[in-house]
Every structure is written in structure tokens, then in C-alpha cells.
Amino acid sequence: MVRYSFLVIKNLHGSAIITIKQLRASPLLSKGVCMKKIFTLTFLLLVTPVLLHAQTGVKKRRPLPFEYGRVLISTPNLSPDLPDVQFDHWLHRAKYTCRLCHVDIGFAMKRNATGIKAEDNIKGYYCGTCHNGKMPHGDRAIFKACEKTYTEIELGSRCRRCHSVGEKVRAEYDFASFTGTFPRERFGNGIDWEKTEEAGLVKLVDFIEGISFKRRQIEVPKDFELSTKVESMPEILFSHKKHSKWSGCEGCHPEIFAGVKKGNTKYSMTEIFEGRYCGQCHTTVAFPTTDCQRCHSKPVR
Amino acid sequence: MKRQAAVLSALFLLLPAAAPGNWDFPPPKPVEEYGNLLIHRTSEKNNVKSVSFSHWMHRRKHTCRVCHFELEFNMKTNTTEITEEANRSGRYCGACHDGRTLFGHTEPHCGKCHNGDIGYGNLRFNDMWRYPVTKYGNRIDWSAALEEKWVSPARYLTTPPLPDEVNERKLDLDAAWINVPPSLFPHRKHTAWLDCNDCHPNIFNIKKKTTRIEMVKILKGEYCGLCHGSVAFPLTDCKRCHPTMRTPPKYPEPQSR
């Protein structure tokens, strides 16, 4: 009797490697069991590649400008009154830098990876850092995020402002009227956020008393070129200045790009498309990777 | 028991190799209507006739990338938020149809688009009678028409495409089935019309062999089938992708022009 053992490994790019090994004959196996095994093996061999290649070759639906950067945060342990939280990046990024939330407050960059709890918000962490009913914003205070108990009225007027997935909630800020005067760009939110900031249409807060700490500023490194693997593909001009305005240094270093020295971190376009390295922000919140020439901008010499 | 299992496993193994080709296709559209579509995302709700759009009319003047990259038109009908307001502010159709370069989104031009007639403008198809001929689709070899300068579509409005040399590689794509010769993929012929992002990375990942393309999926409108079957030459034209196929199955040809 011949026995086979096979191993299915999924590599980084999602394709499967199947290794089949012939094992030594085992006298313990009866004929029937063996036939069954061969049958399941053939079946599995045919079916596994199909299952592993669930990725389909269709054009993804492009999110509408106001949907781009939307994060749905699941809240599985709450009462059915409180559905999942819908967080739209565009409103917050028009007021605060990325660094403030993702470094100082400590939100992870991946959906649901932070594990935000109501208790933490009440204690003044995460959303509760600003959403505490006291933090001034213009001439009023920012509404309180979570409380131990809530009334029926509060549920509609306060809780549902965030816990809004599947509920009919009228948002306080309308995307079209809020961003109407901002310079336009292709894809993403349809907004050139960089120019919007330069023109002073948005003023970004980068410091919260008691949460942020001022250090002596590190001089922003010069812009540099990133060479490409494909011949005559225009090189990438990377601007530290543009990125550090929103993300600071800590937004990217050392977690996403380990090496502070150029060339230390090796990555490919495939990995970026998968949402790693540049793709961490540039597939979700910052302008998407479908806008090739916005990065590949330096003419080939 | 033993024989049964053996026969069954053999069947499983042989199934994919049996009967290559001869797929079921819907009857071909008339040549003048291939690639035409009706857009009715909101028009009928607003008591306006749906918009007829003809790909062959537009692809003579502009490459695919102008509309499907620069002007941000999606690839699927009725998914792009085209509105009167957007058009009048110079987006989508309004980028060209502004009343100066071309007729605008104003009276008395309504009926030129809002006519609900998929064959609108058919007579203008005859202008192209000298273009290189193929068997299927519009019965026009658009690639050859471009190379022979019968058409010289604008490649951009504001953002020039990446240089042509970026990807000149021809891919040799082996078929999964026995008896089917490999498919040849010329990048150059595609980049003449399309932008990189029209296909990468959503439809095809950029690294060869990381995307598993199957004919069955292509027939469903995935991968190559997204364009080939709706606008670009249809899948009934086997030999154009599998050039070494000896006896390609014969499918009914569309009405001759």
C-alpha cells in the first residue's frame, strides 16, 4: 500500500504550493481505507487550488468620494441598539494630522486592530481623548463618546453619531458642502489634500495638551528618488516634507519602514498593492495606488 | 469498490481536459451595436430617456484611458455617478461636451444622448468602411486601424501616459488545458489604448503567475473578459489570443457591414 502526505502552503502572493510526499508502505492500512484516501486526495488536489484562488479578476467598485477612507469598526459585544461604528477619515483629516491619532493617541492602522472599548473611551483613551464633552472645538465642546448608561434620547442624539451602520442618521457635516471649495484631484476623496492644506483651507491640529509632547524638531530630510525595477518606468520622487507634515516621523518609522537608512527596507509593488508599506495609507486613506503617475513622476534620464 | 473509486478518480482528472472550446455564446449583436450601451442610473426615475453611448464612436477620437482613467468613468454601466451638475461643471461627459469643443449638456441637444435608442447614430458607422476588417465584434481591427493611422485618438487630456517602453514584454500565457495552445499577450497593443491602472492591480496583479486566469472566468466577464466581449474584440475570435490554434471552433459571425 502506498500512502501520500501532502502539504498546502500559501505563499505571500496568495498562490499555493502543493507538495506531495510518498510515505513508506504501512501494513496497518486496509485496502478500503487506502482507496478512500486516494479518492479524497484526488478530490482535494482538484478542489484546493480553486479555493485558494478566490481572488477574482474583476474591476473593483471604486468608492464614491465621500466613502473613500471610510472605516467600519465592529462592536460585537455591545447591545443591539448600538450597531457598528462608521468612521469617515475625511472629516477628521480636515481638522487633525494623521500623527495625532495614529501616534499620540495610538490608533492602529488596521481596522479593528486597536480593539477600542467603551470603558477605554470613558477613561479618556482612544476616541475619548477628545470626545469627552469638555475638549473645546471652536465655540463648543466636542461631544462625549461613551458612557456607562444612556437614555433613549441620548441614544438618538449622541450614541448614533458614531454607532451609525445601518441606521438612518443625518450627518452634521455634509461632504459636498464641506469640501466644495477644496482643490480637486483624481481618485480617492477627489480632493488634493496637500494643496488644501497649503492654501489654508484646513488648519490641522497636531498637539493636544497632556497627550502630545513637544520635542526639539528633527530637520526634515531632503526629497529623494526611489529607483524602479521595470526599465524606463519613471522613478518615484519621495518627499519627506509632504509626508511629515501629516504623519510626522513616527507615522512610518520604524514600524512600516524599518530602516531609517535608504535601501534598508526592501519592498515590491505587489506588496504595496496588498496594502503594505506605502500601500498602508495609499490604498485606504491617502490617494490610491491606481494613480500611477502621482508617484512615478520623475522623467527617465 | 476498488474499480469504482478508480473510475471516479479518473473521471475527476479527465473532466477539465475534455471538450475544449465550443462555448455557448449569445447570438452576435449587429456590428453597429457592438460596444453600445444604455446608461439609465437615474434617467428613468427623473422621466428622461436613458442615454445611449457608443464606444466605436468615441474610441476613434480618444483612447480608453482618457475616459476610464482621466475622466474616472468606471468599467461597469450605471456605476459612475454621472449627473447633470457634474457634466455642467466639466466632469465626466462634460469634460469634452462643454458647448465649445462639442455640444454641451444644454437644450436643444438633449436628444443626442437622451434618446433611449441603442442604435442611435448607426449611419455614421459607414464612415469607417475602409478600416481593417476582422470577423467579430465591430468587424473592425482597431489595433491595426491605430497602427495604420486610420484612427489617431487623443491619448490624454491633461495627464500624459507613461512612456510606451515601460512595458514592452509579450507574455506567453500557457493554457491550463491540453490541446489549447498558449495565449500571447502583447503589452504594447494594450498600452496604446489603456492606462496601467485600468488593469493593474485590480484585474491582474503585476507579477506574472500570481493571477490565475481561467477561460471559464473570462467568459463570465472577469479578467480579459471585462473588455473582450463587451467592447474589445469578442471571445469568439479564438485565434487572436491563441494564434497557434489549428482548428479554432467556428462561431456565428455578426451581420456584415
Side-chain angles (χ1 to χ4, degrees), chain A residues 26-199:
Chain A
S26 154
L28 288 170
L29 280 167
S30 70
K31 264 187 189 176
V33 173
C34 191
M35 273 335 286
K36 250 187 206 166
K37 286 233 158 146
I38 290 178
F39 187 70
T40 15
L41 193 136
T42 2
F43 183 75
L44 276 173
L45 264 179
L46 286 164
V47 168
T48 27
V50 178
L51 289 177
L52 289 172
H53 286 283
Q55 176 213 6
T56 51
V58 285
K59 197 88 178 149
K60 279 183 206 156
R61 172 186 175 268
R62 186 191 302 155
L64 293 168
F66 59 86
E67 289 172 343
Y68 190 75
R70 177 174 291 175
V71 184
L72 302 180
I73 306 160
S74 54
T75 54
N77 300 327
L78 292 177
S79 76
D81 287 349
L82 299 167
D84 290 355
V85 169
Q86 177 182 316
F87 175 81
D88 284 312
H89 265 99
W90 63 263
L91 183 62
H92 278 78
R93 73 172 296 185
K95 295 166 190 270
Y96 309 96
T97 60
C98 317
R99 204 197 62 82
L100 192 72
C101 300
H102 289 291
V103 177
D104 285 353
I105 298 176
F107 282 101
M109 295 277 211
K110 215 175 151 195
R111 185 173 83 106
N112 289 337
T114 319
I116 309 161
K117 290 192 201 94
E119 304 101 76
D120 293 336
N121 284 340
I122 297 164
K123 283 179 201 155
Y125 298 111
Y126 300 128
C127 316
T129 317
C130 301
H131 287 275
N132 53 10
K134 281 177 251 161
M135 179 77 77
H137 177 261
D139 52 353
R140 54 196 177 143
I142 300 175
F143 71 91
K144 213 168 185 173
C146 301
E147 258 176 307
K148 278 200 176 104
T149 52
Y150 51 89
T151 60
E152 194 66 26
I153 302 160
E154 274 182 321
L155 179 75
S157 66
R158 196 166 54 83
C159 307
R160 292 266 160 85
R161 288 179 79 155
C162 305
H163 292 272
S164 57
V165 177
E167 303 285 334
K168 273 187 188 160
V169 181
R170 226 181 110 250
E172 196 183 329
Y173 291 90
D174 172 49
F175 179 81
S177 53
F178 186 79
T179 63
T181 52
F182 294 179
R184 270 194 53 80
E185 242 302 347
R186 192 171 293 141
F187 302 139
N189 292 125
I191 295 164
D192 190 332
W193 287 103
E194 198 190 305
K195 275 191 194 151
T196 310
E197 201 270 335
E198 272 169 19

Side-chain angles (χ1 to χ4, degrees), chain B:
Chain B
M1 174 68 200
K2 194 177 174 182
R3 193 180 287 166
Q4 257 184 345
V7 167
L8 269 172
S9 347
L11 254 177
F12 259 121
L13 283 168
L14 285 174
L15 257 177
N22 293 321
W23 307 95
D24 280 331
F25 285 105
K29 284 180 182 174
V31 279
E32 301 90 350
E33 280 175 27
Y34 185 76
N36 287 11
L37 42 99
L38 287 177
I39 307 163
H40 46 77
R41 194 176 58 88
T42 53
S43 20
E44 274 144 21
K45 273 180 245 159
N46 297 330
N47 285 327
V48 196
K49 276 186 186 166
S50 48
V51 170
S52 69
F53 176 84
S54 161
H55 268 103
W56 59 257
M57 206 181 278
H58 285 83
R59 70 183 296 187
R60 293 187 294 178
K61 304 280 181 200
H62 295 94
T63 57
C64 316
R65 84 179 278 284
V66 170
C67 299
H68 289 294
F69 167 64
E70 287 194 87
L71 299 180
E72 299 181 55
F73 279 99
N74 289 340
M75 295 278 202
K76 213 172 163 190
T77 322
N78 295 334
T79 59
T80 316
E81 283 234 330
I82 315 166
T83 55
E84 189 179 333
E85 199 196 339
N87 279 339
R88 288 206 176 136
S89 61
R91 298 173 59 200
Y92 300 122
C93 318
C96 300
H97 289 278
D98 55 0
R100 292 182 299 274
T101 4
L102 286 165
F103 67 87
H105 201 136
T106 43
E107 300 256 14
H109 305 293
C110 312
K112 288 182 182 170
C113 301
H114 289 280
N115 45 46
D117 173 15
I118 198 146
Y120 187 81
N122 269 357
L123 286 176
R124 288 171 66 188
F125 195 82
N126 300 334
D127 303 348
M128 309 188 287
W129 65 277
R130 283 194 294 185
Y131 289 13
V133 181
T134 54
K135 268 187 189 170
Y136 301 99
N138 293 129
R139 300 200 73 136
I140 292 169
D141 188 336
W142 287 101
S143 249
L146 185 71
E147 273 158 29
E148 294 166 21
K149 304 255 159 63
W150 289 103
V151 288
S152 37
R155 293 185 74 181
Y156 67 94
L157 300 177
T158 50
T159 321
L162 289 173
D164 278 338
E165 298 77 42
V166 165
N167 215 326
E168 279 197 306
R169 271 182 303 171
K170 279 188 178 174
L171 303 183
D172 224 339
L173 304 165
D174 286 328
W177 290 13
I178 315 163
N179 296 336
V180 179
S183 155
L184 275 188
F185 177 84
H187 254 109
R188 196 69 176 266
K189 284 195 175 172
H190 288 81
T191 49
W193 298 92
L194 292 152
D195 195 88
C196 316
N197 105 72
D198 284 326
C199 306
H200 303 302
N202 271 4
I203 306 174
F204 302 96
N205 210 331
I206 47 162
K207 221 170 179 177
K208 199 185 155 188
K209 284 183 181 167
T210 48
T211 309
R212 194 187 159 93
I213 315 162
E214 284 168 58
M215 202 62 214
V216 194
K217 287 186 179 169
I218 296 175
L219 288 157
K220 279 187 202 154
E222 295 175 21
Y223 302 109
C224 321
L226 189 74
C227 301
H228 289 284
S230 50
V231 177
F233 67 83
L235 303 164
T236 43
D237 210 347
C238 311
K239 269 198 104 155
R240 255 175 112 181
C241 297
H242 300 276
T244 47
M245 197 180 264
R246 274 193 218 143
T247 47
K250 282 193 178 108
Y251 295 105
E253 289 172 25
Q255 227 181 317
S256 168
R257 61 183 154 119

Side-chain angles (χ1 to χ4, degrees), chain A residues 10-14 60 109-110 226 236 238 243 251-252 254-258 265-289 295, chain B residues 201 205-207 210:
Chain A
K10 213 176 162 187
N11 72 6
L12 275 178
H13 310 299
K60 279 183 206 156
M109 295 277 211
K110 215 175 151 195
L226 286 160
I236 295 166
F238 178 85
H243 283 82
C252 307
E255 280 172 13
I256 302 173
F257 297 94
T265 315
K266 297 258 184 271
Y267 49 94
S268 70
M269 202 61 220
T270 329
E271 286 168 312
I272 296 173
F273 285 145
E274 280 167 359
R276 298 162 68 196
Y277 302 105
C278 317
Q280 177 104 63
C281 301
H282 285 285
T283 49
T284 49
V285 178
F287 67 82
T289 46
C295 299
Chain B
N205 210 331
I206 47 162
K207 221 170 179 177
T210 48

